[in-house]
Amino acid sequence: MVILSKKEKNIFSRYKELKENSGSHSPSIFTIKNAIEDITIKVDACFLSNPYATDLFINRFNNEIIDNFRLREILEYYPSQNLEIGKLLSDRLQVSKESIIIGNGAIEIIQALLHNFVSTNLVICIPTFSSYYEFIKPNTKVLFFKLQKENDFLFDKESYLKFIETHKAKNAVLINPNNPNGGYINFEDLQVLLGELSHLENIIIDESFIHFAYESTDKSMINYHALFKQFSNVSLVKSMSKDFGIAGVRCGYGLLNPSKIDGLLGNGYLWNSNGISEYFFNLFYEDKFYKEYQKVRIKYLNEMSFFKSELRKIKKIKTYPSNANFILVELLDGSTADIFAAKMLINYGIYMRSCSDKLGLDGEFLRIASRSKKENLMIIKAFKDIFNS
């Protein structure tokens, strides 16, 4: 069982204060660096992104913006309005521009949907991303559908449909792959499920981690744009932070019924992008960049598979099936997730997510993001060091 020394406890108490101030989310690396000088973060296995895609974006940004002295125009000029940026995505996504809304991160789209279109009740699978039940309006009832630990937190369609019927549900959220466990509903099964949920008023599908899932040997990408077109009650939410590694730029989009977009644009959401995010969406539209991204995506997926296989070999933990770029780990040696995560952070500079505050998780769980091959090896070595000591 992992325990902390007196010095480590002192540092941990300061971290706990930062965590409490961050609510159900993890404090940012900037926050930790500014508040606790004793901690040096070497590996960010807490926040979930592809580091090779970040490198790709930085290289292009340096070559096209910094080296060509174009930074001033990005900072000084207003970015384009929402609909204009949406046009850039239309061809790439093969969806009409009238159905696309840009967000200051996916979180803004999530909040817009919950506050403007969801009422009565909302079914949310747990464990999951907490903002879906934190942002709900006070007069909307949250109906928690609990994913079962004995079934590895995987989605069970028949139980879900029975739950929907029993509780007379009107709205539902499905994150696929799900966060924090990485459980995945394959495309055909999801299509069948949506057909059986056609009576619901709203179904929000969050596909923020979909670039890390695949169903073919060539690891080709999956998206749910066809499902959005097929089912009128479906809204899609997509964060660009994870797959493109640009959380600091704040890019996201939603595919919504045009009437919903008209309602949102009529009440704000006009200039909710910044100059750097507009530059990214121009890259996203560009075929050359998209092909370069596909290469680093495959590289990352291959290293991610190796990382997951190495984690599964470690005794004293259990890993759960994941089709995302992170893995849910249960500690079996009597250690608490908070203490273990603190040990990793303080002694090894590895920042990972304790899931002690996640609804629907009974036990001691960590969520660990896959990083570069070098960083993943550092995580594996730290696990072995801690357990061997």
Side-chain angles (χ1 to χ4, degrees):
M1 182 174 69
V2 174
I3 59 174
L4 298 179
S5 67
K6 184 177 180 180
K7 180 181 178 181
E8 291 166 347
K9 286 179 180 177
N10 178 264
I11 299 171
F12 178 53
S13 66
R14 285 183 279 162
Y15 171 79
K16 278 184 67 177
E17 185 177 349
L18 298 180
K19 177 66 181 74
E20 289 167 2
N21 292 336
S22 300
S24 62
H25 304 280
S26 300
S28 77
I29 290 177
F30 293 120
T31 300
I32 296 171
K33 283 183 175 180
N34 291 335
I36 311 176
E37 60 184 15
D38 307 82
I39 293 177
T40 300
I41 297 178
K42 301 175 182 176
V43 180
D44 175 16
C46 178
F47 298 101
L48 312 165
S49 67
N50 177 352
Y52 301 123
T54 310
D55 293 340
L56 177 64
F57 175 81
I58 290 172
N59 289 338
R60 290 295 295 270
F61 189 81
N62 283 339
N63 291 338
E64 296 178 4
I65 304 299
I66 302 299
D67 293 347
N68 287 310
F69 306 100
R70 291 180 54 206
L71 183 59
R72 184 183 184 92
E73 66 187 59
I74 284 182
L75 298 178
E76 186 175 12
Y77 302 161
Y78 275 100
S80 299
Q81 293 182 8
N82 207 306
L83 287 175
E84 291 300 312
I85 299 176
K87 289 179 184 178
L88 295 172
L89 275 72
S90 180
D91 287 342
R92 172 65 62 212
L93 303 178
Q94 294 297 295
V95 175
S96 69
K97 63 182 183 297
E98 291 81 11
S99 298
I100 301 171
I101 188 166
I102 304 302
N104 182 16
I107 196 73
E108 186 176 42
I109 307 297
I110 293 169
Q111 187 173 28
L113 288 168
L114 295 178
H115 285 195
N116 290 277
F117 308 114
V118 174
S119 59
T120 312
N121 57 39
L122 176 69
V123 177
I124 300 176
C125 300
I126 54 172
T128 200
F129 182 49
S130 59
S131 292
Y132 278 103
Y133 51 81
E134 291 171 340
F135 286 0
I136 201 73
K137 291 187 295 187
N139 59 344
T140 301
K141 184 177 182 180
V142 177
L143 304 171
F144 288 120
F145 176 78
K146 188 173 182 180
L147 303 173
Q148 299 302 310
K149 181 177 177 180
E150 56 269 24
N151 190 38
D152 287 341
F153 302 109
L154 299 176
F155 183 82
D156 182 84
K157 188 184 82 166
E158 297 309 317
S159 298
Y160 185 77
L161 290 174
K162 185 176 180 180
F163 184 90
I164 293 276
E165 180 182 4
T166 300
H167 292 83
K168 296 181 173 57
K170 299 293 184 182
N171 307 276
V173 170
L174 291 169
I175 303 179
N176 199 38
N178 190 41
N179 176 11
N181 62 304
Y184 176 67
I185 308 168
N186 69 41
F187 185 93
E188 289 187 3
D189 289 344
L190 182 59
Q191 190 173 37
V192 171
L193 175 65
L194 293 178
E196 298 183 72
L197 297 177
S198 59
H199 62 287
L200 296 189
E201 294 174 3
N202 294 281
I203 303 173
I204 300 170
I205 300 180
D206 189 328
E207 59 169 0
S208 292
F209 298 97
I210 197 64
H211 284 197
F212 307 117
Y214 51 89
E215 298 181 16
S216 60
T217 54
D218 66 355
K219 298 182 175 67
S220 57
M221 287 204 308
I222 303 162
N223 65 62
Y224 299 133
H225 306 155
L227 300 180
F228 164 73
K229 295 175 182 177
Q230 183 178 355
F231 299 102
S232 60
N233 61 347
V234 166
S235 298
L236 293 185
V237 175
K238 181 74 175 72
S239 165
M240 312 302 275
S241 301
K242 287 75 177 173
D243 34 24
F244 290 93
I246 51 167
V249 179
R250 310 307 302 135
C251 289
Y253 67 82
L255 303 186
L256 320 180
N257 186 292
S259 63
K260 292 179 178 176
I261 291 182
D262 289 343
L264 293 176
L265 294 181
N267 291 279
Y269 302 95
L270 192 61
W271 278 301
N272 54 340
S273 295
N274 60 69
I276 298 178
S277 68
E278 182 173 5
Y279 169 75
F280 167 76
F281 281 122
N282 274 280
L283 285 182
F284 183 69
Y285 170 77
E286 183 192 293
D287 287 339
K288 181 183 177 183
F289 176 81
Y290 207 65
K291 289 177 182 177
E292 292 170 344
Y293 164 71
Q294 294 290 2
K295 292 179 182 178
V296 299
R297 172 182 169 269
I298 295 297
K299 176 182 179 180
Y300 180 62
L301 292 180
N302 290 335
E303 294 182 5
M304 185 175 76
S305 296
F306 174 76
F307 178 55
K308 290 177 180 178
S309 68
E310 291 299 297
L311 274 177
R312 284 193 288 270
K313 296 176 185 177
I314 298 175
K315 297 179 180 179
K316 300 182 182 179
I317 66 172
K318 176 180 178 179
T319 61
Y320 287 81
S322 172
N323 284 63
N325 66 326
F326 51 85
I327 192 161
L328 186 68
V329 170
E330 184 177 12
L331 300 173
L332 304 177
D333 70 330
S335 301
T336 68
D338 286 347
I339 297 300
F340 192 96
K343 197 84 169 180
M344 279 282 192
L345 180 60
I346 297 166
N347 289 355
Y348 298 91
I350 297 172
Y351 188 28
M352 57 182 56
R353 175 69 154 91
S354 167
C355 294
S356 59
D357 59 349
K358 283 285 185 184
L359 296 181
L361 286 179
D362 302 317
E364 299 299 327
F365 292 89
L366 302 164
R367 188 195 65 193
I368 306 172
S370 178
R371 295 291 300 170
S372 68
K373 184 176 181 179
K374 178 181 178 182
E375 291 171 311
N376 288 343
L377 291 174
M378 291 171 64
I379 295 170
I380 297 297
K381 183 179 184 301
F383 261 99
K384 292 177 179 179
D385 285 349
I386 287 178
F387 286 135
N388 288 338
S389 63

